[in-house]
Amino acid sequence: MAKLEDRGETGASMEPLISEEASRHRSVLTDLSLDLAMKSTALSASLPEGMRPALAGLVRSMNCYYSNLIEGHNTHPIDIERALRQDFSADPEKRNLQREAVSHILVQSWIDGGGLTESPLHPESLKEIHARFCEGLPEELLVQEGLDGKLIPIIPGAFRDGFVQVGAHIPPSPGAVPRLLDHLHRMFGFQGKTGKIIYAACAHHRLVWIHPFPDLNGRVSRMVAHAMLAESVSSAGLWSASRGLGRNAEEYKRRLAAADAPRPGGADGRGALSEARLAEFASFFLEKCIDQVEFMHALMRPAELRGRVMEWAVREERRGEVLKGSDRILGALLMEGEIDRGVIPNMLGVSDRQARKVTSRLLELEAIKSDSPRAPLRVHFPASLASSWMPGLFPER
């Protein structure tokens, strides 16, 4: 195996990794991080425990949609959910994008389920996230055009072995990548609780700046940020940073590029790169996270959510799409999180057989879910009903 070209870049070449405590930028970032932590905790506490997994499943589809949209790949959450049921488009290009989305969601679900054994920033964690993402991709998406115009195969979980260029930025030499990633990960361990939140934003840029893989760096980096925020602000998968970034994609890319800037002079920190530009990116990132927590909190206010779901059920009953009593079942599920099937006949004042008909139709529409034919029922949040239940979550198809 040929030795990788190494130009000797050290951790100092990407400092600062975070604004120092004495920095004039730190107080703003600290305030944002505390605001994010407080609001994220409040969102989780406001929801019944039984409702959180269902909502987190929809957020994963939304997160996947916006993360891929940033890269120019548009696969609507409804098509993503179809792909999760192995219902793929006959069009090869759309089918490939559906497979990409499924792979993204499976990795996200693995992360959310505690699959990472090391810190999200650990080099081995990065490799495993990349490898798992690649495993589900079609061959057509596992190639990248090199600087010489030739197609380079993307090896799952392998750091790049050549130079790349991203816009005006030429990332560090391939031989330096492991060394820089080790430094990025090691410095994370020195952060306190508030520092870890700020570092999640700053490290997102520095990870993209290193550009460790031939391709998929943006999506891997956003998955890493998601995992870091899950640890530092207890996001519980109930909101998506990618939605905030994707809805402001041009500004996101512009601020990422601006944070590549070298330090212009002695008044701008003490590292090789601009502290001011990094702080501006981190502020933007944290502000978009706060926006998303506030958006989800407003969308999930129990009384208003219950009202929208009940209105949908009444409307669909009039149309003959659901049976009488569906609104009462959904209302109870939104209050309780889950209910045993055995209580439904008494709840509705109907026979066991009629109760089964009511729930069967709701299960067909994926408005409710159950782990088995005898298991309790839970409310579900399918993408197909999001426009009625949670308007504005993602664009209409």
Side-chain angles (χ1 to χ4, degrees):
M1 182 176 178
K3 186 177 180 180
L4 299 180
E5 185 170 348
D6 189 339
R7 294 182 177 176
E9 300 97 330
T10 65
S13 66
M14 60 179 180
E15 292 285 355
L17 297 179
I18 187 172
S19 294
E20 296 179 355
E21 293 285 352
S23 168
R24 60 189 175 90
H25 305 290
R26 187 63 182 246
S27 62
V28 173
L29 293 172
T30 297
D31 288 347
L32 288 171
S33 66
L34 291 173
D35 194 25
L36 175 59
M38 180 182 67
K39 289 178 176 176
S40 184
T41 300
L43 170 61
S44 181
S46 71
L47 300 174
E49 188 172 346
M51 189 190 296
R52 295 173 201 164
L55 180 59
L58 178 60
V59 170
R60 271 192 288 272
S61 291
M62 180 180 72
N63 187 49
C64 168
Y65 166 70
Y66 279 106
S67 188
N68 285 333
L69 192 64
I70 291 168
E71 307 299 329
H73 295 181
N74 189 345
T75 308
H76 195 275
I78 291 178
D79 291 321
I80 293 173
E81 288 193 349
R82 285 178 174 169
L84 287 168
R85 298 192 299 268
Q86 301 300 304
D87 180 7
F88 293 98
S89 171
D91 179 270
E93 184 176 350
K94 289 182 180 179
R95 183 169 62 250
N96 282 345
L97 293 181
Q98 281 182 301
R99 289 178 62 188
E100 175 188 59
V102 168
S103 185
H104 188 290
I105 286 178
L106 291 177
V107 177
Q108 193 79 70
S109 181
W110 170 76
I111 292 173
D112 291 345
L116 290 172
T117 56
E118 299 282 357
S119 158
L121 272 179
H122 193 288
E124 292 305 314
S125 295
L126 300 177
K127 287 181 179 180
E128 187 161 11
I129 292 171
H130 186 269
R132 285 175 175 269
F133 192 11
C134 288
E135 282 172 4
L137 297 183
E139 291 183 6
E140 295 89 334
L141 298 181
L142 285 173
V143 291
Q144 171 73 359
E145 186 174 324
L147 292 176
D148 57 2
K150 295 180 180 178
L151 292 180
I152 303 170
I154 299 171
I155 301 172
F159 295 144
R160 59 183 169 86
D161 58 7
F163 283 91
V164 292
Q165 183 165 353
V166 185
H169 174 56
I170 298 178
S173 59
V177 166
R179 183 167 60 248
L180 296 178
L181 291 176
D182 281 337
H183 181 65
L184 186 66
H185 169 247
R186 187 171 63 256
M187 296 304 291
F188 175 64
F190 296 134
Q191 306 302 319
K193 290 183 179 180
T194 303
K196 279 180 163 55
I197 302 172
I198 300 171
Y199 202 83
C202 295
H204 180 62
H205 171 268
R206 292 307 194 240
L207 192 53
V208 174
W209 183 86
I210 295 170
H211 204 85
F213 304 103
D215 197 17
L216 307 176
N217 291 276
R219 279 164 287 193
V220 168
S221 298
R222 286 187 288 276
M223 287 185 191
V224 169
H226 172 90
M228 293 177 74
L229 290 169
E231 293 180 358
S232 58
V233 301
S234 303
S235 63
L238 299 175
W239 54 273
S240 165
S242 288
R243 183 179 185 273
L245 301 175
R247 285 168 57 84
N248 300 270
E250 293 308 313
E251 183 178 5
Y252 168 54
K253 293 174 183 177
R254 187 168 64 249
R255 288 184 180 273
L256 273 174
D260 295 340
R263 180 172 63 123
D268 189 6
R270 295 189 293 180
L273 301 180
S274 169
E275 181 188 11
R277 299 291 85 79
L278 178 64
E280 287 169 3
F281 173 78
S283 294
F284 166 79
F285 184 95
L286 293 173
E287 285 166 0
K288 296 310 159 195
C289 288
I290 292 169
D291 287 346
Q292 293 312 298
V293 177
E294 292 176 341
F295 170 76
M296 291 301 292
H297 207 158
L299 205 57
M300 298 303 293
R301 286 191 184 110
E304 295 177 18
L305 173 63
R306 191 169 185 269
R308 288 193 298 270
V309 173
M310 300 280 273
E311 286 174 10
W312 170 86
V314 169
R315 186 171 63 248
E316 294 303 297
E317 182 186 329
R318 288 178 186 148
R319 296 176 59 222
E321 292 297 321
V322 300
L323 299 177
K324 185 177 180 179
S326 297
D327 57 335
R328 295 178 63 187
I329 293 174
L330 289 167
L333 285 170
L334 287 169
M335 293 289 288
E336 304 295 333
E338 69 175 34
I339 55 177
D340 290 329
R341 294 169 184 256
V343 306
I344 293 176
N346 287 336
M347 178 193 298
L348 302 184
V350 299
S351 66
D352 290 354
R353 182 180 180 187
Q354 182 62 21
R356 284 195 296 272
K357 286 183 178 180
V358 179
T359 56
S360 293
R361 180 55 181 156
L362 291 174
L363 286 163
E364 286 176 13
L365 294 172
E366 297 189 311
I368 62 176
K369 212 168 190 181
S370 179
D371 294 332
S372 74
R374 295 183 180 276
L377 299 170
R378 302 188 306 273
V379 71
H380 187 44
F381 294 96
S384 56
L385 299 180
S387 61
S388 296
W389 291 15
M390 291 174 284
L393 193 63
F394 40 74
E396 293 290 336
R397 195 156 168 231

